[in-house]
Amino acid sequence: MTGRRVAGLPARSVLIAAVLGAGGLAISAEPGTPTSSSRHVETFEAAQTALAAKDYAVVNAKAREVLASSRKTADDIYIAYNFLTQAARDRDGQIAGIEGMLESGFQLEAQTQSELHKVLANAYFAQKNYPQALKYGTALIGSGAADEEIYSVVGQSYFHSSNYSESVKIFERLVSNDEEGGRRPDRLQLVLLLSSHDKAGNKEPAQAAIEKLVRHYPEANAWLLLLQEVKSERLDQRQKIHFFRLMESTGNLKHGRDFMTYSDAATSLGLPGESRRVLEAAMTAKVFEQESDRSRADQDLTAARERAEAHRAELRELESEATAAPTGNEFVALGMAHYSFGQYPNAVEALKAGIAKGGLKNAADAQLTLGAAQLKSGQKAEAAQTLKAINAGDEITQRIATLWALHAS
């Protein structure tokens, strides 16, 4: 018998309209021309007519009639599964139809085969069938036909299969490609890179991934991941003041206990203006749930207001003392005071003078405050330069300085 193309089917292609996901993923595949054997032409033509009329039960019946035949070619099988795919009303039916096309024995063009593999990888991933998603996704990677979407599907499938070493490889590649190309990496890919390192026990790479995340997506929740590690350390009062300033600047100063710790650190360092501001912000935000906490905060605020007024009156005298002093420590103290009152340009000027004069008891303390004041004054590039140049001499302060530098950049 002579083979014939099916009436009603395109001469060069068969359209697959398989909507396979909640997001409405669709694919149109264009294989070489499948040719029906003459014994099945009428059956396929009836299927085509039923498909146009949206009579999917008839389409299904006609396609299965061909598949049940003992005398069918690879082309017949391919066409039958193509009809089943188009008639399917659910994802499972569409997947089965496409897999039937791939396994029909019909020689698909490489591009068509890749497109069908991509559809199946996405469809199986949507079903959380990660082994099958990996089957088709890794086939695409192996053939060199995978795009970024497929790499992401494969990486996520490895992650959900607890194969963290492989998911790290995938997401390291995707993130690096974007960074090297001057693009901002996808947020989900950064989060999965971080989570993969974390679950694999890769502590330092996980830390680097968090820093990448906050560099590209400086959101409060991302910053909190970085800040928690430092917060768990035993901090002295100077470290606390710089740490809680950073918490506030990144949107993470939210809890009553943190406000009080910040205020106490400011008070202990002779910065009542900052203590007052922090406590006023806490009272406005109503962060204290217990009456005892509110009462203590109210008492501290009253005292901070009194001390702040007295301290403000001393600023002119402090400036005179700083000018006459042999070292820059008095200028640094003046800069700290200006910072505590929110006078950031004045703080920048005084701190620069102190650093230039030299002889400082704590240079890192002065540089950290200068960087923060520059950032508050809108001098972002200068702040980043100041903060990156800090050599603190102790691990915790250096870590705080590194985080401030990251925030400024």
Side-chain angles (χ1 to χ4, degrees):
M1 293 186 178
T2 305
R4 290 174 54 191
R5 293 193 179 98
V6 180
L9 290 180
R12 286 292 302 161
S13 68
V14 178
L15 178 66
I16 307 164
V19 180
L20 295 175
L25 174 65
I27 179 171
S28 295
E30 295 190 356
T33 306
T35 303
S36 168
S37 56
S38 58
R39 67 180 64 85
H40 296 303
V41 168
E42 290 184 3
T43 306
F44 282 136
E45 287 178 340
Q48 183 68 33
T49 299
L51 185 64
K54 298 184 179 181
D55 191 345
Y56 302 119
V58 172
V59 176
N60 195 300
K62 294 298 181 182
R64 295 199 180 281
E65 180 181 328
V66 172
L67 292 175
S69 170
S70 60
R71 302 177 66 186
K72 55 184 179 292
T73 65
D75 288 37
D76 292 330
I77 297 170
Y78 179 90
I79 295 169
Y81 276 114
N82 178 277
F83 276 121
L84 288 175
T85 302
Q86 296 182 77
R89 299 298 93 193
D90 58 42
R91 185 184 287 119
D92 287 340
Q94 292 158 355
I95 288 174
I98 293 173
E99 288 188 323
M101 292 164 65
L102 284 169
E103 297 166 4
S104 66
F106 175 71
Q107 295 301 306
L108 290 167
E109 293 178 352
Q111 181 180 351
T112 301
Q113 182 168 306
S114 295
E115 289 175 346
L116 295 178
H117 280 178
K118 183 176 180 179
V119 172
L120 290 171
N122 278 287
Y124 275 122
F125 181 76
Q127 290 186 325
K128 300 183 180 181
N129 188 334
Y130 303 121
Q132 287 297 97
L134 285 169
K135 171 185 174 182
Y136 291 106
T138 54
L140 285 165
I141 291 174
S143 69
D147 55 15
E148 182 175 333
E149 180 185 6
I150 287 300
Y151 272 100
S152 184
V153 165
V154 169
Q156 290 180 69
S157 296
Y158 278 132
F159 179 83
H160 291 298
S161 301
S162 301
N163 191 340
Y164 304 120
S165 61
E166 290 300 322
S167 63
V168 161
K169 292 177 185 177
I170 294 292
F171 292 119
E172 284 280 15
R173 174 193 175 115
L174 291 172
V175 169
S176 296
N177 284 347
D178 281 337
E179 289 185 324
E180 291 168 6
R183 300 179 299 275
R184 184 167 75 160
D186 180 81
R187 188 181 188 282
L188 176 60
Q189 292 171 5
L190 279 167
V191 170
L192 287 167
L193 175 60
L194 163 62
S195 297
S196 297
H197 277 307
D198 185 56
K199 289 182 178 295
N202 305 329
K203 186 175 180 180
E204 290 185 6
Q207 189 73 15
I210 299 175
E211 293 181 8
K212 285 180 185 285
L213 180 62
V214 299
R215 184 178 299 115
H216 294 292
Y217 298 90
E219 303 160 358
N221 287 343
W223 265 104
L224 191 58
L225 295 172
L226 278 176
L227 296 172
Q228 289 291 4
E229 182 181 6
V230 178
K231 191 177 182 182
S232 66
E233 299 284 353
R234 186 182 296 275
L235 307 178
D236 63 30
Q237 296 294 5
R238 291 188 178 277
Q239 290 165 340
K240 284 179 182 178
I241 198 77
H242 298 301
F243 176 76
F244 283 100
R245 284 172 178 173
L246 182 58
M247 281 197 72
E248 181 181 43
S249 190
T250 58
N252 284 291
L253 189 64
K254 299 176 180 179
H255 303 292
R257 180 179 298 178
D258 291 337
F259 277 97
M260 290 303 299
T261 302
Y262 185 2
S263 172
D264 289 345
T267 298
S268 72
L269 295 173
L271 302 172
E274 195 160 357
S275 176
R276 180 188 65 184
R277 181 186 61 76
V278 169
L279 289 172
E280 287 175 343
M283 299 297 275
T284 300
K286 299 180 180 180
V287 298
F288 300 113
E289 297 180 1
Q290 302 296 323
E291 177 59 35
S292 58
D293 293 333
R294 286 193 294 272
S295 178
R296 186 210 157 178
D298 189 57
Q299 292 175 9
D300 286 356
L301 178 55
T302 299
R305 283 172 174 162
E306 293 175 358
R307 287 193 296 268
E309 289 306 312
H311 195 212
R312 187 188 293 274
E314 298 171 354
L315 291 182
R316 188 175 296 278
E317 183 180 346
L318 282 174
E319 187 171 356
S320 298
E321 292 176 358
T323 302
T327 69
N329 289 300
E330 286 73 11
F331 265 125
V332 170
L334 177 62
M336 292 280 194
H338 280 309
Y339 187 99
S340 77
F341 288 114
Q343 299 168 352
Y344 303 118
N346 291 343
V348 169
E349 183 180 353
L351 288 161
K352 280 186 173 180
I355 292 169
K357 204 166 190 178
L360 302 183
K361 296 177 181 177
N362 193 324
D365 192 40
Q367 290 170 304
L368 271 164
T369 305
L370 173 58
Q374 287 171 321
L375 194 59
K376 292 283 190 180
S377 300
Q379 302 171 27
K380 190 172 182 180
E382 293 86 345
Q385 185 176 2
T386 297
L387 294 161
K388 288 177 181 177
I390 293 174
N391 185 2
D394 73 87
E395 185 178 347
I396 295 176
T397 303
Q398 189 62 52
R399 181 63 182 153
I400 293 171
T402 300
L403 294 178
W404 264 107
L406 180 62
H407 180 45
S409 64

